[in-house]
Every structure is written in C-alpha cells, then in structure tokens.
Amino acid sequence: MDVPELVKKEALRRGLRPETIKTYQHCLRNFFRVCHKDPKAVTKSDIREHLDRLQARGRAPSTLNVHLQAFRFFYEQVLQKKLTARFHTTRVRRRLPEFLTPEEITSLFAAIENKKHQLLIKLLYATGMRVGELVKLRVKDFEFEQHYGWVRDGKGGKDRLFIIPHRLESELRDWIAQQNCDPEGCLFPGHGSAPYSKQSIQLILRRAAQRAGIKKRIHPHTLRHSFATHLVQNGYAVTDVQPLLGH
C-alpha cells in the first residue's frame, strides 16, 4: 500500500494545501519506517507508542499535534477507520511573541546596506506579511494608483488586500523601474526567476541585528509581531489589525 500516494490523492480531492499534504506524507513515512506493519493492521497502541517516542525525544507539543493530525487524516479520511477517535491533542504553551521597538526597527533598517535587502525587510515590516507571502509577491499584485496590493493565496488559500505604505511607494516604484521588472515576475527574485528564499531573508535579518547591536533573537515573524504591536500601541483596535494580518 502506497500510503503517501493515497494521502496525496485524498488530500487533493479535499482541497488541502500542498504544504499540508507534504507534512502529512512526511509524518506517515517516519511512522512506517519504524512500524513495519501493513497500514490496515496498525493498532491504537502502535500510534500511541510512536507519539510517546516522539515526546521522549523532546519533540514540541505542536509537532506531536501535527503527527496526530496526519494519523487522523490517513485513518479516518482515507481508510475510514476510527483509529484515532479518542486521541487528544497536546496542549501547546503560548508565549508572548517577541517584538522590536520603533527605535530598534530604525536601527535594523539602517544596518542593511544592500538596497534590495533593505526594501524587502522594510516591506515585510510595513505590511505585516508572512515571509512566505512576501517572497511570492509579483509586480502585478500592486495597485499603486489605489495605494494597495494583493496577497495572493495566503494562509488558508485566501487572497487579501494590504496597504502600500506611503513612505515606501516611491521606493517600490523606483525599484520596479530600475530593475525593469516583469509584471508577471516576482518583485524580489532570487536566482533566475525563482522567488527569494526564506532562508536568505532570515540570514539578512540575523546579520542586520548583529550590526545594529540588537540582542533579541530576530526572525521574519518578529517583524510581523512588531507591525501588529505598533499599530495597537498607536491606537488601532485589535479587530482592525487582525484583517491586515490575514487572521
């Protein structure tokens, strides 16, 4: 039985996102590398032992929950077996997200000398986008005359508007003109026409934080948290901020 292929076919039928499909396939492959039974012969005890084994190895609660969801999808949706009906998700401890002060944001920008990198990081902060949304931005997603743009196929497969920051509009227009960007192409291409990689953006931030003397651990999501925090601090209601974040 080709478990990954069965998962893929059923997931595509149900409209699951490619990232979710790959995650489920990965979790199930790991399980069947250890459990050599026929999938239909797997018991609740086998699944419980696997989850206990992951926990013993120090895997995060969120990781355990993803594995459980993969089991649920395969057994309940593909094989139509209620094998995981009484399994409960692991409680995930929520921590307050780290954010940068406005002064730290200014220092971070100033520490980035490369114009492309600086514009990329400025836009990431000023729109509150997820890094995966930013790297997929195309030139044609911008409606400069209306001062807004589109995040296409964001989290949950939804499109949403974002406001083009007034202070960045001229920089964005200049960048597009100077680079002679293809309207169908990525705003920030990596090698060739491929999107800029998330790992590269993480590296840009890490190096900029070091040069700016910022001791906090910074990653792309830190800018998203900072964007939301600063809006609230400036008088915006949380309910007004949530749509801008794609919540």
Side-chain angles (χ1 to χ4, degrees):
M1 183 184 294
D2 190 341
V3 173
E5 186 60 25
L6 288 172
V7 167
K8 181 180 179 179
K9 287 181 178 179
E10 184 62 28
L12 289 174
R13 249 192 310 270
R14 294 175 179 271
L16 270 63
R17 292 173 64 78
E19 295 85 354
T20 302
I21 296 172
K22 289 178 182 178
T23 298
Y24 286 177
Q25 290 176 316
H26 174 74
C27 293
L28 291 162
R29 283 193 187 100
N30 283 348
F31 172 68
F32 285 109
R33 285 194 192 103
V34 178
C35 179
H36 302 291
K37 291 183 177 181
D38 182 280
K40 292 183 178 179
V42 169
T43 66
K44 291 182 180 181
S45 295
D46 294 324
I47 294 175
R48 173 57 65 194
E49 287 176 9
H50 185 69
L51 293 173
D52 288 344
R53 190 160 48 243
L54 291 174
Q55 189 172 38
R57 290 175 182 171
R59 299 295 187 266
S62 57
T63 300
L64 299 179
N65 290 338
V66 168
H67 278 76
L68 178 55
Q69 291 303 323
F71 283 124
R72 279 184 176 156
F73 183 82
F74 177 60
Y75 281 101
E76 294 186 17
Q77 306 300 331
V78 179
L79 296 187
Q80 303 296 311
K81 294 181 66 177
K82 297 293 183 181
L83 204 61
T84 57
R86 295 189 178 183
F87 282 76
H88 300 289
T89 55
T90 305
R91 183 178 178 184
V92 179
R93 183 181 177 186
R94 298 289 182 184
R95 296 182 179 179
L96 290 174
E98 187 100 76
F99 67 91
L100 300 178
T101 65
E103 293 76 20
E104 287 172 329
I105 289 289
T106 300
S107 297
L108 187 73
F109 293 161
I112 304 173
E113 296 180 357
N114 183 288
K115 293 298 182 183
K116 174 182 178 180
H117 295 172
Q118 188 186 76
L119 181 58
L120 187 154
I121 298 303
K122 283 181 176 180
L123 189 62
L124 190 63
Y125 163 71
T127 60
M129 286 186 202
R130 299 176 178 91
V131 66
E133 296 168 342
L134 182 82
V135 297
K136 292 191 295 184
L137 271 181
R138 295 170 298 175
V139 176
K140 72 175 187 179
D141 293 330
F142 288 85
E143 303 282 354
F144 285 109
E145 299 305 319
Q146 284 72 42
H147 310 293
Y148 65 74
W150 289 95
V151 170
R152 302 294 186 183
D153 193 28
K155 191 171 183 179
K158 299 177 181 178
D159 294 350
R160 75 172 188 279
L161 286 172
F162 67 88
I163 305 300
I164 300 175
H166 177 71
R167 61 186 179 280
L168 286 185
E169 188 170 320
S170 60
E171 287 188 53
L172 287 165
R173 285 178 180 270
D174 289 346
W175 168 259
I176 291 169
Q178 291 165 7
Q179 300 299 314
N180 194 25
C181 295
D182 179 357
E184 297 288 338
C186 294
L187 179 66
F188 299 112
H191 294 292
S193 59
Y196 213 76
S197 75
K198 299 176 185 178
Q199 292 77 16
S200 296
I201 295 174
Q202 174 65 70
L203 186 59
I204 292 168
L205 281 173
R206 188 182 305 131
R207 288 175 174 172
Q210 290 173 348
R211 287 194 290 268
I214 299 171
K215 304 301 182 182
K216 297 172 183 175
R217 185 176 179 180
I218 297 176
H219 48 82
H221 228 62
T222 308
L223 298 181
R224 182 171 159 84
H225 294 316
S226 302
F227 163 79
T229 300
H230 296 163
L231 285 179
V232 172
Q233 289 176 341
N234 282 299
Y236 284 79
V238 173
T239 51
D240 293 332
V241 175
Q242 287 174 330
L244 299 176
L245 296 171
H247 287 171

